[in-house]
Amino acid sequence: MQTLKAVIFDLDGVITDTAEYHYLAWDSLANELGLPFDRQFNEKLKGVSRMESLELILSLRDTVYTDEQKHRLAVKKNEVYKEMINKITPADLLPGIENLLMELREAGIRTALASASKNAPFILDRLEAAHYLDHVVDVNMIASGKPDPEIFLTGAARLGVEPTQCIGIEDAEAGIQAILAAGMYAVGVGAPAQMQKADLIVSSTAELSLSLLQSNFKKKS
């Protein structure tokens, strides 16, 4: 039986919720380009990197963009997004997350962040939550984004633990796929229809606790 030694968190939708800021920033760019972007299409961008998200949005029309143009568009979106997230405070930590992070630290269970956002360190600073995490792995450190397992495997390696000793917590289907492909126990936050492959599903971060994670991890291992 494996012992739980680490928990690796996604950022958006698990630690805090900046999804609306991402949507508004992409919507601003899409409007500028005359693309038919909406909230339904935005669901496809969850857990996906900035450049991959841009490619999906640009695919809404057959216009060809150079790599330089794409880079400028991605930077423009990110500048709008960064202006919005300047408003983030510790009050924007999702329900139950600070308590869970404190429980994990007190129990000696290591923690890491596995985020598709290049702004993850800035957001953690705004949340005043960086000290709860032993390592932060973002897309700057990996070659392949979710659903590839690289980001979670990198997190486990940085923490010095085996993937089978880890729980990964995600709110996006691509993230759940990445956790499972890494050989970790997958916890999904959100609607069961979107999280159906996860080992454990909770409707809200408020349901998460160390006892819940440990008891379910033991059952699976």
Side-chain angles (χ1 to χ4, degrees):
M1 182 178 290
Q2 291 286 354
T3 300
L4 176 61
K5 292 191 174 180
V7 177
I8 303 178
F9 295 83
D10 177 38
L11 175 64
D12 194 24
V14 176
I15 300 291
T16 190
D17 190 358
T18 61
E20 183 66 11
Y21 299 136
H22 278 296
Y23 167 72
L24 292 172
W26 283 126
D27 186 55
S28 173
L29 182 66
N31 283 336
E32 183 179 322
L33 298 174
L35 298 174
F37 181 71
D38 57 22
R39 290 186 182 274
Q40 184 176 351
F41 190 88
N42 186 61
E43 290 298 307
K44 298 179 182 180
L45 311 185
K46 284 191 173 181
V48 178
S49 71
R50 188 187 312 159
M51 291 308 299
E52 289 173 305
S53 294
L54 177 63
E55 293 285 0
L56 286 169
I57 291 171
L58 295 180
S59 72
L60 289 167
R61 187 160 292 159
D62 292 333
T63 305
V64 176
Y65 293 87
T66 65
D67 288 344
E68 184 180 349
Q69 287 173 318
K70 290 176 184 177
H71 175 73
R72 285 203 302 267
L73 291 172
V75 168
K76 180 177 286 189
K77 179 267 176 182
N78 195 48
E79 289 306 313
V80 173
Y81 174 72
K82 286 199 294 185
E83 186 175 339
M84 293 177 178
I85 61 176
N86 271 319
K87 304 171 186 175
I88 289 176
T89 72
D92 291 303
L93 281 164
L94 285 175
I97 287 298
E98 187 168 22
N99 285 339
L100 175 59
L101 289 168
M102 288 191 292
E103 282 186 308
L104 292 168
R105 185 153 291 270
E106 289 169 6
I109 295 173
R110 308 211 74 199
T111 55
L113 190 77
S115 174
S117 173
K118 291 183 178 180
N119 296 300
F122 174 78
I123 293 171
L124 287 175
D125 284 343
R126 295 292 304 168
L127 292 168
E128 298 179 12
H131 63 286
Y132 289 123
L133 295 155
D134 296 304
H135 283 284
V136 174
V137 184
D138 62 30
V139 292
N140 295 303
M141 304 176 187
I142 59 172
S144 302
K146 303 169 189 176
D148 189 279
E150 183 184 5
I151 194 166
F152 285 98
L153 291 172
T154 302
R158 293 289 180 92
L159 294 174
V161 299
E162 294 298 321
T164 52
Q165 299 171 318
C166 299
I167 286 176
I169 306 180
E170 268 280 358
D171 77 318
E173 186 177 356
I176 295 296
Q177 290 174 7
I179 294 168
L180 293 172
M184 299 179 182
Y185 186 91
V187 176
V189 180
Q194 297 173 323
M195 299 289 118
Q196 55 186 313
K197 294 182 180 179
D199 296 301
L200 171 67
I201 302 170
V202 295
S203 60
S204 164
T205 56
E207 298 176 39
L208 294 172
S209 67
L210 177 55
S211 60
L212 177 73
L213 296 181
Q214 284 182 318
S215 61
N216 282 277
F217 180 81
K218 286 178 182 176
K219 290 177 187 176
K220 180 68 182 287
S221 61

